[in-house]
Amino acid sequence: MKNNSIKTVVAIGIGAALFVIIGMFIPITIFTNTTISLQYAVQALFAVLFGPVAGFFVGFIGHMLKDMLAGYGVWWSWVLPSGLVGLGIGFLKSRLKVERGIFTKKDMITFNIVQIIVNVIAWGIVAPLGDILIYHEPASKVFTQGIFAGIANAFTIGIGGTILLIVYAKSRTKSGSLSKD
């Protein structure tokens, strides 16, 4: 158990650092304060490999640090949903077998259904409600931003996250594939 918790802490640190670096240096702007964020594909990979706690903290800490370094202050109503995306996807850890070199078409479909649902909840509901309650932003503006961010993140994770999981699974030795000569 201790070894797993150390691996998880290290994964959170590396994942959060990658989240910050990718988020700061490779954003693709949709409109003001809303970007296609490639770091969510990496967060999805870490979430599937290390579980919901790691997935949550990669997004939460990564987004918080990115906001702090960007200089516009921490936008908590978007930091929390970043964590929730990782948390939700992380629950697939026990269902998917990428560690054992298995990532089937059925797994891809399951992964993408879950990540789309998680993105809809995080960006279409939690982020806009947080913007309204914490920052008193106009509902029409924040729900529009949230919907676009959710769609962009779902596509990013759907394409990038799926590719990362395929590549990772192919890099692993399939269980039962080794034979004695």
Side-chain angles (χ1 to χ4, degrees), residues 72-93:
Y72 46 73
V74 178
W75 207 254
W76 293 107
S77 56
W78 283 53
V79 169
L80 178 61
S82 286
L84 294 176
V85 167
L87 178 77
I89 294 170
F91 285 114
L92 289 171
K93 178 184 178 6

Side-chain angles (χ1 to χ4, degrees), residues 135-166:
Y135 303 108
H136 309 290
E137 293 283 329
S140 61
K141 172 189 161 191
V142 295
F143 277 102
T144 301
Q145 280 183 320
I147 289 166
F148 277 102
I151 291 169
N153 291 343
F155 272 106
T156 300
I157 294 170
I159 296 167
T162 301
I163 290 170
L164 289 173
L165 288 166
I166 290 168

Side-chain angles (χ1 to χ4, degrees), residues 89-163:
I89 294 170
F91 285 114
L92 289 171
K93 178 184 178 6
S94 59
R95 182 177 177 112
L96 301 178
K97 311 281 188 280
V98 292
E99 281 283 347
R100 291 192 265 161
I102 301 166
F103 192 59
T104 65
K105 286 182 181 170
K106 182 180 176 191
D107 294 337
M108 289 178 211
I109 292 167
T110 300
F111 169 73
N112 279 292
I113 288 171
V114 168
Q115 69 91 0
I116 288 167
I117 291 168
V118 168
N119 272 298
V120 166
I121 293 167
W123 303 112
I125 300 170
V126 176
L129 289 177
D131 283 346
I132 292 165
L133 295 171
I134 298 169
Y135 303 108
H136 309 290
E137 293 283 329
S140 61
K141 172 189 161 191
V142 295
F143 277 102
T144 301
Q145 280 183 320
I147 289 166
F148 277 102
I151 291 169
N153 291 343
F155 272 106
T156 300
I157 294 170
I159 296 167
T162 301
I163 290 170

